[in-house]
């Protein structure tokens, strides 16, 4: 059982306990007198009883509010307080509407949790999802209560010249009266009903980039991106991304912008990436501000995705929202899928699209697969939670997106092989049925299936929905047998999903396996003949039984199976490929994803073999990778047909985290040593090729963040990293010198940062001065300083120096724990992104972690709970790490006044 701060049991919320609200709130009229120390909030609502629910009291949620007055239909009334709820029992009978006025105050300047109304850089911002609105006023703080909002903001005009809320600005002006000298107001009306988690207000000294657009239907809209004065020159990319998002949603799904005005506001104090408040998106500056001097290509593509994501929520999340928070993936999985598709559709060619897909899958495998196998594992639609903020996870988001992607795949047909048309029809059906409602994941899946009768999805809908209900990553085992005489190839696919604490046995999933056959000798794509039908060169197999056998006929030569093309399902594929078969796929597969995958499998295989080897044979010889594999990588690097971005992905070894996931027992130091050995081997064996790669790709021309030129920079950066690594072993000073020069002369942040990274990553003696110079040059750019902190915290740990450096940086004048971006840049980069620096035999990394979790928890529980998850996988650790990690978890769990957020995470980690 979990305990709250005061020792009372924490409430476990269960999906099966859902009941409709006892009251509906039809209208909300809010008036704010904004003051950092004491903001006054007058909330006038019209409510009515829900006739479908037995009569009972009205229970309104509230947190850290001072209540001054409650009036029902203009009259005083009796009320009581019960566990953070305002309970009203003497309300009018019947279902006639009545008014309720609640007057409260709150203290935004003291709000370090950044939930509800808070102050950042002298401006006011709000964050209400999931349950922050109750920190602003008493309310039915649940997503299925949708109301019409009118909001009046009143504040000092000089300090807060810009006053924003959702919807349309209907009135503004100066306030009259002696009490109101120097104050002004703005009144906003949102034309759309919404749940309270989508409410937002912003007030402060801000400036806007503005753009007027005309939609396909001919309606005019005003787009605005608000930032602090001085940052306007960094808003062009965000605005372009917004315009591209609007055009894409109209073109692909027929979903137009439904507001006269759409605003994005950036703040540097934000718990996550951004928030889709209706018409008034609030963003972390990290996902808005970019120019070539301060932002990398990765930042640019992050901005495009997040701007798209929040915009796409306007329909998937806002117009149709979640019935309850268990349905979170209804909006998040779907909207991640939409932002992934958006970014892919913006890619100029198939290679860039494949690169985007590989990047997305990498996130899934390095973050979601571990989550699904660890103590926080939960289904895409969870069954219970203590703190909903802990369930904004890679499972709900990224795995949820894969579930939607599989639906698209499964509504495909010969005329629509990818299922794009079928899925778009399904979306149309979804909006036709549910626009303006708060619904469930089941409703979504039903709409997609109903719009595609006869599809593989419609035929197996109930079974398909197990993807929402069962946690864990299924494993698909594949075995192939070629009969040369009969020219048949028999492919046996079986599936298994390991039991988890919450679900002791799992039923078979519906797994779409997109596949082809590649001639082992010829490298040609072979024709696919199955059950008397010819399927061209690619086919979709649907695995829905524990085991199925597929027999291909007229197979003219021994094939290598290319399975799960484009990563058609979020599973682990086990197939006993020989090295030669993988090399064939790497060289010839027509599916770019599986070419990359073949290289990853080979690299993983060599890594795992070296880790398992008892003697340090490989380490002493420097031979971790086979010569054939190194040659194959050289061939990829030199292949004029392949794009630089794709090459960069193939030549990047699997991460330490991903390698760790393949192992039953994890020794992070051993994994690090082997991976570094592999990197050194590639650095030396391909030295001449890296020189060529750098020289051939170093000039990407006038800066543009497009996929092609960012690919050139990525490959040049990788080459430079390897060249500096080789220099460390050989004592060469030329390449580090050239790297330093490039660092100094770079015309954009990507090249500059890659050069700095190469120096730091190779432990070059030139790194220190370069870091100092970088700090001086960018000391006024918060987002660049975050990179500076992160680079040092994530640096390769040669001799255990990183922790000392991180501890020193905690005391740096630019460091503060209160700013989430800064806390993440130093502390998360060390605890989450530097396994060898963090998992120390002396346990000092864990001691540091425990201190920071507890310290952060007192400031911002949501951020602390994210950090708490750094030890999720402690049970897999070898000794002495495992024991020490457990001790650190126990120490945190023993702290008396932990937040629910952190307590849920550490208690789950420690549970058997
Ligand atoms: N919906 C928000 C996330 C809110 C997180 C609350 N802890 C951003 C997004 O997914 O678009
Ligand atoms: Zn989202």
């Amino acid at each position: 059982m979990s305990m709250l701060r005061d020792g009372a049991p924490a409430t476990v919320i269960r999906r099966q306990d859902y009941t409709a609200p006892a009251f509906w709130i039809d209208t909300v009229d809010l008036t704010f007198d904004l003051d950092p120390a004491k903001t006054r909030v007058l909330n006038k609502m019209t409510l009515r009883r829900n006739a479908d629910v037995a009569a009972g009291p009205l229970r309104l949620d509230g947190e850290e509010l001072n209540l001054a007055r409650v009036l029902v239909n203009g009259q005083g009334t009796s009320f009581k307080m019960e566990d953070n709820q305002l309970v009203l029992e003497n309300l009018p009978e019947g279902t006639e509407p009545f008014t309720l006025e609640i007057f409260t105050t709150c203290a935004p300047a003291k709000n370090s949790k950044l939930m509800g109304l808070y102050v950042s850089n002298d401006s006011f911002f709000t964050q209400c999802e999931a349950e922050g609105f109750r920190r602003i006023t008493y309310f039915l703080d649940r997503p299925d209560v949708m109301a019409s909002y009118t909001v009046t903001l009143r504040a000092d005009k000089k300090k807060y010249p810009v006053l924003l809320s959702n919807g349309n600005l209907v009135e503004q002006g100066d306030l009259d009266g002696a009490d109101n000298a120097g104050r002004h107001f703005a009144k906003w009306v949102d034309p759309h009903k919404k749940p309270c988690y989508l409410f937002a207000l912003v007030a402060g000294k801000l400036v806007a980039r503005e753009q007027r657009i005309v939609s396909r239907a001919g309606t005019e809209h005003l787009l605005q991106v608000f930032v602090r004065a001085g940052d306007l020159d960094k808003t062009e990319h965000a605005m372009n991304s917004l315009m591209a998002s609007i055009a894409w949603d109209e073109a692909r799904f027929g979903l137009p912008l439904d507001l006269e005005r759409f605003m994005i506001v950036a703040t540097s104090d934000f718990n996550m990436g951004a928030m889709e408040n209706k018409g008034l998106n609030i963003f972390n500056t990290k996902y808005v501000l970019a120019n070539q001097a301060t932002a990398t290509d990765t930042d640019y593509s992050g901005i495009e995705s997040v701007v798209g994501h929040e915009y796409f929520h306007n329909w998937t999340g806002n117009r149709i929202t979640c019935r309850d928070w268990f349905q979170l993936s209804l909006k998040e999985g779907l909207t991640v899928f939409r932002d992934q598709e958006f970014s892919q559709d913006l890619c100029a060619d198939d290679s860039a699209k494949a690169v985007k897909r590989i990047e997305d899958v990498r996130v899934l495998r390095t973050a979601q697969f571990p989550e699904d196998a660890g103590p926080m594992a939960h289904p895409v639609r969870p069954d219970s939670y203590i703190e909903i903020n802990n369930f904004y996870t890679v499972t709900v988001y990224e795995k949820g997106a894969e579930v939607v992607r599989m639906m698209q795949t499964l509504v495909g047909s010969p005329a629509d092989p990818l299922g794009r048309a079928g899925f778009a029809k399904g979306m149309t059906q979804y909006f036709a049925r549910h626009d303006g409602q708060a619904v469930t994941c089941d409703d979504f899946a039903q709409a997609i299936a109903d719009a595609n009768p006869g599809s593989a999805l419609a035929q197996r809908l109930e079974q398909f929905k197990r993807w929402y209900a069962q946690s864990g990553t299924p494993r698909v085992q594949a075995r192939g047998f070629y009969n040369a005489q009969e020219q048949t190839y028999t492919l046996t696919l079986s599936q298994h999903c390991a039991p988890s604490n919450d679900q002791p046995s799992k039923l078979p999933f519906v797994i779409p396996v997109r596949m082809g056959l590649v001639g082992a000798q010829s490298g040609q794509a072979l024709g696919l003949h199955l059950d008397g039908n010819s399927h061209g060169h690619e086919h979709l197999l649907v695995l829905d039984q524990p085991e199925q056998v597929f027999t291909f006929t007229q197979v003219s030569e021994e094939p290598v199976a290319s399975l799960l093309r484009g990563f058609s399902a979020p599973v682990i594929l086990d197939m006993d490929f020989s090295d030669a078969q993988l090399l064939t796929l790497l060289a010839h597969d027509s599916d770019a994803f599986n070419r990359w995958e073949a290289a990853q499998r080979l690299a993983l295989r060599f890594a795992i073999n070296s880790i398992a080897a008892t003697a340090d044979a490989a380490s002493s010889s420097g031979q971790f990778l086979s010569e054939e594999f190194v040659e194959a990588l050289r061939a990829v690097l030199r292949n004029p047909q392949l794009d630089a971005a794709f090459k960069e992905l193939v030549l990047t070894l699997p991460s330490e985290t991903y390698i760790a996931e393949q192992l039953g027992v994890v020794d992070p130091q051993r994994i690090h040593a082997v991976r570094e050995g592999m990197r050194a081997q590639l650095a030396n064996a391909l030295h001449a090729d890296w020189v060529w790669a750098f020289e051939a790709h170093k000039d990407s021309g006038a800066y543009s963040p497009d996929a092609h030129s960012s690919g050139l920079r990525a490959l040049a950066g990788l080459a430079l990293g390897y060249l500096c690594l080789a220099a460390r072993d050989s004592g060469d000073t030329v390449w580090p010198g050239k790297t330093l020069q490039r660092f100094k002369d770079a015309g954009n942040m990507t090249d500059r940062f890659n050069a700095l990274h190469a120096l730091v990553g190779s432990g070059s003696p030139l790194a220190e001065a370069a870091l100092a110079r970088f700090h001086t040059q960018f000391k006024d750019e918060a987002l660049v300083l975050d990179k500076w902190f992160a680079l040092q915290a994530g640096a390769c740990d040669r001799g255990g120096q990183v922790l000392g450096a991180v501890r020193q940086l905690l005391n740096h004048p630019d460091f503060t724990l209160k700013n989430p971006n800064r806390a993440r840049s130093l502390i998360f980069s060390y605890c989450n992104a530097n396994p060898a620096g963090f998992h120390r035999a002396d346990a000092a990394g864990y001691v540091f972690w425990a201190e920071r979790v507890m310290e952060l928890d007192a400031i911002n529980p949501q951020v602390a709970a994210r950090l708490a998850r750094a030890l999720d996988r402690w049970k897999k650790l070898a000794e002495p790490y495992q024991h020490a990690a457990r001790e650190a978890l126990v120490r945190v769990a023993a702290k008396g006044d932990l937040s629910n957020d952190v307590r849920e995470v550490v208690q789950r980690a420690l549970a058997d």
Side-chain angles (χ1 to χ4, degrees):
M1 179 176 293
S2 295
M3 295 292 167
L4 282 171
R5 278 177 197 274
D6 58 5
T11 315
V12 178
I13 319 280
R14 293 180 202 286
R15 184 167 61 87
Q16 67 191 35
D17 293 344
Y18 173 84
T19 52
F23 290 80
W24 298 113
I25 303 177
D26 293 320
T27 64
V28 184
D29 189 336
L30 294 167
T31 305
F32 288 84
D33 273 297
L34 292 165
D35 182 317
K38 187 178 180 183
T39 286
R40 300 187 303 163
V41 183
L42 177 59
N43 170 9
K44 289 188 192 178
M45 299 174 266
T46 41
L47 294 91
R48 66 196 149 85
R49 286 184 190 273
N50 180 352
D52 300 339
V53 171
L58 172 64
R59 298 179 166 276
L60 299 174
D61 308 297
E63 206 179 281
E64 293 181 35
L65 299 172
N66 301 306
L67 178 61
R69 192 174 72 218
V70 184
L71 301 177
V72 173
N73 286 335
Q75 305 290 313
T77 185
S78 62
F79 60 84
K80 61 183 178 185
M81 300 302 304
E82 269 178 24
D83 306 332
N84 273 345
Q85 286 187 326
L86 170 64
V87 184
L88 295 161
E89 282 167 328
N90 298 318
L91 293 172
E93 305 283 324
T95 53
E96 283 305 300
F98 62 93
T99 65
L100 177 60
E101 272 177 65
I102 299 177
F103 184 63
T104 51
T105 65
C106 57
K110 287 200 188 135
N111 182 356
S112 65
K113 293 181 181 170
L114 311 184
M115 282 297 280
L117 178 64
Y118 65 93
V119 175
S120 159
N121 286 313
D122 300 323
S123 293
F124 290 93
F125 295 91
T126 53
Q127 171 56 36
C128 294
E129 190 180 0
E131 297 177 335
F133 194 69
R134 64 185 63 183
R135 296 167 60 80
I136 295 174
T137 183
Y138 283 98
F139 207 74
L140 288 172
D141 192 355
R142 45 188 288 168
D144 55 354
V145 171
M146 296 171 89
S148 298
Y149 283 69
T150 300
V151 177
T152 306
L153 305 176
R154 298 149 53 108
D156 184 276
K157 192 173 180 176
K158 271 217 185 78
K159 289 188 193 150
Y160 310 105
V162 172
L163 302 174
L164 310 174
S165 191
N166 319 80
N168 298 320
L169 179 63
V170 295
E171 209 183 328
Q172 63 182 327
D174 293 336
L175 286 168
D176 303 329
D179 289 358
N180 285 321
R183 288 165 60 78
H184 69 150
F185 77 97
K187 184 172 176 182
W188 294 81
V189 175
D190 190 341
H192 299 279
K193 284 194 159 214
K194 63 172 177 283
C196 66
Y197 81 87
L198 291 173
F199 164 81
L201 78 78
V202 171
K205 276 196 194 111
L206 300 163
V207 290
R209 172 186 289 267
E210 299 197 339
Q211 179 81 44
R212 285 180 196 275
I213 58 161
V214 179
S215 73
R216 287 190 159 198
T219 47
E220 265 197 40
H221 308 269
L222 171 63
L223 312 180
Q224 293 172 305
V225 178
F226 286 90
V227 294
R228 293 170 74 192
D231 281 336
L232 263 189
D233 65 330
K234 302 195 188 88
T235 52
E236 186 184 0
H237 184 62
M239 182 61 89
N240 287 343
S241 302
L242 178 58
M243 289 192 293
S245 308
I246 295 170
W248 181 85
D249 220 7
E250 275 200 284
R252 174 118 177 224
F253 291 113
L255 298 172
L257 174 53
D258 59 1
L259 292 158
E260 288 165 28
R261 178 199 287 245
F262 192 88
M263 298 169 278
I264 286 178
V265 189
T267 168
S268 48
D269 292 289
F270 208 60
N271 282 347
M272 61 267 172
M275 177 63 212
E276 70 264 24
N277 317 299
K278 185 79 187 184
L280 179 56
N281 288 186
I282 299 182
F283 270 60
N284 189 323
T285 44
K286 180 172 165 57
Y287 293 107
V288 175
L289 303 181
N291 64 28
Q292 69 187 72
T294 59
T296 61
D297 294 334
T298 311
D299 297 325
Y300 274 85
S301 72
I303 290 169
E304 180 185 283
S305 295
V306 178
V307 168
H309 181 98
E310 305 313 329
Y311 177 74
F312 303 140
H313 268 314
N314 192 46
W315 282 91
T316 51
N318 300 5
R319 287 286 287 248
I320 303 183
T321 194
C322 304
R323 185 194 72 173
D324 54 71
W325 291 123
F326 296 102
Q327 317 297 330
L328 184 55
S329 200
L330 171 81
K331 73 179 180 79
E332 295 304 347
L334 175 54
T335 305
V336 171
F337 168 76
R338 274 152 55 71
D339 85 54
Q340 291 176 348
E341 291 284 282
F342 162 64
S343 294
Q344 265 197 358
D345 286 352
L346 288 191
C347 290
D349 53 39
D350 286 349
S351 173
K353 288 183 207 294
V355 164
K356 167 69 180 149
R357 181 68 183 138
I358 291 167
E359 288 168 348
D360 292 340
V361 172
R362 233 171 22 175
V363 171
L364 189 81
R365 281 178 172 168
T366 50
Q368 198 279 325
F369 281 17
E371 178 168 277
D372 232 348
M376 282 292 290
H378 52 276
V380 168
R381 183 191 53 211
D383 291 316
S384 69
Y385 59 77
I386 291 176
E387 173 50 64
I388 184 57
N389 285 316
N390 284 333
F391 287 82
Y392 284 75
T393 58
V394 273
T395 298
V396 166
Y397 276 62
E398 270 72 21
K399 186 176 179 180
E402 294 300 321
V403 173
V404 175
R405 184 174 296 283
M406 286 189 287
M407 289 191 207
Q408 170 163 278
T409 303
L410 289 167
V411 297
S413 62
D416 173 28
L418 300 177
R420 283 165 67 111
F423 185 76
K425 265 202 315 194
M427 287 283 280
T428 304
Q429 174 75 272
Y430 176 55
F431 285 105
R433 277 186 194 168
H434 299 298
D435 190 11
Q437 299 174 7
V439 304
T440 64
C441 298
D442 287 325
D443 295 322
F444 175 73
Q446 194 67 51
I448 303 296
D450 288 353
N452 293 277
S455 65
L457 178 69
Q459 286 164 9
R460 304 166 179 82
L461 184 63
E462 285 313 306
Q463 186 183 349
F464 180 84
K465 289 197 299 190
R466 289 177 191 157
W467 282 108
Y468 282 113
Q470 299 186 148
S471 64
T473 307
R475 295 192 91 100
V476 171
Q477 177 105 41
R479 289 189 312 272
F481 175 73
Y482 181 58
N483 183 329
Q485 224 158 30
E486 295 186 5
Q487 299 210 326
T488 58
Y489 180 72
T490 312
L491 180 67
T492 307
L493 299 179
S494 61
Q495 58 166 310
H496 172 72
C497 186
S500 52
N501 281 353
D502 54 328
Q503 294 168 331
S505 74
K506 318 250 174 172
L507 296 165
F509 291 86
V510 177
I511 302 177
V513 180
R514 197 180 286 289
M515 55 84 60
L517 296 177
V518 180
Q521 292 305 314
S522 65
Q524 299 289 312
L526 305 179
L528 301 175
H529 306 272
L530 194 63
D531 305 326
N533 296 316
S534 171
H535 298 286
H537 292 110
E538 186 163 287
H539 188 51
L540 183 71
L541 303 177
V542 181
L543 175 62
D544 57 8
Q545 305 296 314
E547 180 165 300
Q548 272 160 268
V549 179
F550 303 91
T551 304
F552 295 88
T553 54
Q554 302 170 55
V555 184
S556 54
E557 64 171 299
E558 169 145 27
V560 184
S562 165
L563 302 177
L564 216 64
R565 283 183 165 174
F567 202 66
S568 55
V571 301
I572 297 167
L573 173 67
D574 294 316
M575 187 162 194
D576 211 358
F577 292 108
S578 66
D579 285 10
Q581 287 176 321
L582 289 172
L583 290 170
T584 299
L585 293 178
L586 172 57
H588 301 293
D589 201 327
S590 59
D591 184 69
F593 180 88
N594 271 0
R595 291 183 80 164
W596 169 80
E597 177 76 332
Q600 293 286 299
R601 277 180 191 273
L602 277 162
L604 264 184
R605 176 173 297 178
F606 293 119
I608 290 166
N609 289 346
S610 302
I611 289 163
T614 40
D616 270 10
S619 326
S620 54
S621 69
Q623 291 296 315
F624 294 85
L625 309 167
S626 72
E627 268 174 38
E628 291 80 5
F629 183 45
V630 174
E631 282 317 307
L633 291 179
R634 191 198 312 275
V636 168
L637 188 54
R638 294 279 191 166
N639 187 338
Q641 317 279 295
L642 296 173
D643 263 4
F646 179 73
K647 294 179 182 184
E648 195 268 341
L649 290 174
V650 173
L651 274 291
T652 299
L653 295 170
S655 67
E656 290 172 27
T657 312
Y658 188 54
I659 297 173
E661 269 315 292
Q662 320 303 313
L663 303 168
V665 179
V666 172
D667 177 344
Q669 297 300 335
R670 179 98 187 113
I671 294 175
H672 179 67
V674 165
R675 187 170 184 277
E676 283 305 295
M678 288 165 61
R679 291 206 322 129
Q681 186 184 348
L682 284 183
N684 295 317
L686 301 182
H687 193 268
D689 307 279
W690 292 125
V691 172
W692 166 82
F694 177 69
E695 297 296 345
H697 299 92
K698 67 178 187 212
D699 297 315
S700 48
Y703 182 79
S704 145
D706 66 87
H708 176 71
S709 44
S710 66
L712 301 180
R713 286 185 288 273
L715 188 56
L718 185 75
L720 214 49
Y722 276 120
L723 289 166
C724 286
L725 209 58
R728 189 199 53 190
D729 292 347
S730 67
D732 160 47
T733 54
V734 174
W735 277 103
K738 278 196 185 185
T739 306
L740 182 65
Q741 204 53 47
R742 183 166 170 90
F743 163 73
K744 291 180 180 168
D745 300 344
N748 60 69
M749 179 52 86
T750 307
D751 288 340
R752 192 184 307 283
F753 195 73
N754 283 347
L756 183 62
H757 188 267
L759 292 174
V760 174
S762 60
S764 163
L766 304 179
E768 201 178 316
L771 278 167
R773 185 187 171 103
F774 191 80
H775 182 269
T776 310
Q777 196 172 351
F778 295 104
K779 60 181 187 319
D780 299 324
E781 298 284 353
L783 295 171
V784 184
L785 284 189
D786 290 337
K787 297 182 200 304
W788 182 80
F789 279 102
L791 180 60
Q792 296 175 79
C796 182
D797 203 27
R798 299 196 173 80
Q801 84 291 1
V802 174
L803 178 57
V806 169
R807 281 202 178 270
Q808 254 184 349
L809 287 169
L810 274 185
N811 297 318
H812 192 281
D814 291 327
F815 185 76
T816 164
L817 212 52
K818 292 207 171 112
N819 176 262
N821 285 359
R822 197 51 55 81
R824 285 187 279 257
S825 74
L826 181 62
I827 298 167
F828 288 47
S829 301
Y830 173 67
C831 298
N832 283 324
N834 193 345
F838 178 55
H839 297 280
R840 296 165 55 110
D842 66 2
Y846 306 151
V847 171
F848 174 85
W849 167 86
E851 289 167 2
R852 299 292 83 72
V853 170
M854 293 189 281
E855 199 178 353
L856 257 173
D857 196 35
I859 300 169
N860 188 329
Q862 254 182 68
V863 178
R866 295 275 153 161
L867 179 63
R869 298 203 45 197
L871 281 183
D872 262 12
R873 303 294 273 142
W874 69 276
K875 283 186 185 163
K876 279 185 81 166
L877 292 171
E879 294 299 356
Y881 312 104
Q882 187 183 122
H883 188 80
R886 183 171 190 283
E887 268 189 5
L889 279 160
V890 168
R891 201 166 334 127
V892 173
K895 189 162 186 281
D897 58 352
L898 279 186
S899 66
N900 265 351
D901 308 57
V902 169
R903 183 162 306 286
E904 182 173 31
V905 169
V906 293
Q907 284 190 343
R908 280 178 76 134
L910 287 168
D912 295 327

